[in-house]
Amino acid sequence: METCVAAHRDCLRAPAPTGTLPEATRPTSGRSQDDAEPVGGRATRKKAAHALVHGMLAQGHSRRAIARHLGWGLNTVLRYANAARWQDTIRENQPRPSRLDPYKPYLERRFAEGCTSVTRLHGELVSEQAPVTYGMVRAHIATLRETPSAAPPRPPTVRQVTGWLTRHPTPLSEEDRAGLKDVLARCPELDTAAGHVRDFGEILTGRLGATLPPGSRQSTPASCPGSPASHSTCVETSTP
């Protein structure tokens, strides 16, 4: 079984992100998630202040007169007066979207690969017609340099996966179960081999050999390329 797993050691590694540049996005119609109405005490106060300012504007009061009457700063009154909706007075404090946002995953992948040259990364984006500036790329790369990068998890070893497959599943930890599930999902050949191991284990632990017809021979198709069994069988049992 260890030889079989070794023949498929590439399946033990999780697939890396493609890192391809995103396609140009087009504005979509309809209401976005950002248009959801804010709730809470702050939202209630903002809504009341917006209605008050616009109500006084509708009565013909000037912005300066409203500021004097309410005892507010002129900039505060202007903020409410210039907002078409009260929700806009809350959203203004949120980070503004950047043209670089769709390309940040690509930059982060290239940075993790060791490409830290702002000039080169900017050139790669420009060559793909990305609407970004050198300053945008430089600012984002600066944040990546300040943030410690987390090392990717190490893939399980051949011996470790062999142990997962050949041991009884009951004592396996949740982490081991999840690791085995991921490996088998990526490798149909190992998944088939795992089924053979389970069948063989049931024959041994349940002493079911006597239930087979006399002289019968059970062989499974080769499903482990690269192993010695690939020329005959991966699992073979026989009865006297």
Side-chain angles (χ1 to χ4, degrees):
M1 196 62 210
E2 185 172 358
T3 304
C4 179
V5 175
H8 296 277
R9 64 175 69 248
D10 290 341
C11 296
L12 308 186
R13 304 185 186 91
T18 58
T20 55
L21 290 174
E23 297 181 359
T25 57
R26 292 173 296 183
T28 57
S29 59
R31 187 169 180 172
S32 65
Q33 293 181 349
D34 290 339
D35 290 331
E37 184 169 301
V39 295
R42 180 169 177 262
T44 302
R45 292 190 298 271
K46 292 276 188 179
K47 185 176 182 179
H50 182 268
L52 177 60
V53 170
H54 279 263
M56 296 183 70
L57 287 173
Q59 296 173 6
H61 298 284
S62 68
R63 289 163 173 77
R64 291 185 181 276
I66 295 174
R68 289 194 300 268
H69 177 75
L70 298 177
W72 296 354
L74 179 59
N75 289 336
T76 301
V77 174
L78 291 176
R79 185 163 63 248
Y80 286 109
N82 295 333
R85 303 180 308 158
W86 70 269
Q87 293 91 333
D88 297 335
T89 62
I90 294 180
R91 196 166 295 113
E92 65 184 2
N93 295 326
Q94 298 179 354
R96 295 182 178 180
S98 169
R99 296 197 304 270
L100 187 67
D101 288 345
Y103 306 95
K104 286 181 178 179
Y106 174 81
L107 292 176
E108 291 163 4
R109 184 190 70 82
R110 296 285 287 123
F111 186 86
E113 292 174 348
C115 182
T116 60
S117 171
V118 176
T119 302
R120 181 175 178 180
L121 293 172
H122 176 252
E124 291 177 2
L125 295 181
V126 170
S127 65
E128 296 293 334
Q129 309 299 320
V132 299
T133 65
Y134 181 88
M136 292 178 181
V137 177
R138 180 179 59 188
H140 189 59
I141 295 301
T143 61
L144 295 179
R145 289 194 176 104
E146 296 172 357
T147 305
S149 58
R154 296 182 61 182
T157 64
V158 171
R159 180 168 295 184
Q160 188 176 10
V161 175
T162 303
W164 293 344
L165 290 168
T166 55
R167 290 200 305 268
H168 195 280
T170 301
L172 293 180
S173 65
E174 291 297 328
E175 184 178 358
D176 291 343
R177 292 172 187 267
L180 178 60
K181 183 178 179 180
D182 290 341
V183 170
L184 298 184
R186 291 194 294 269
C187 187
E189 291 82 2
L190 285 182
D191 189 32
T192 301
H196 298 333
V197 172
R198 287 192 297 268
D199 293 342
F200 188 64
E202 290 176 0
I203 292 175
L204 293 180
T205 58
R207 299 182 179 182
L208 303 177
T211 62
L212 298 174
S216 68
R217 193 175 183 84
Q218 179 184 3
S219 299
T220 59
S223 60
C224 304
S227 68
S230 63
H231 301 292
S232 56
T233 61
C234 279
V235 177
E236 184 176 284
T237 61
S238 61
T239 56

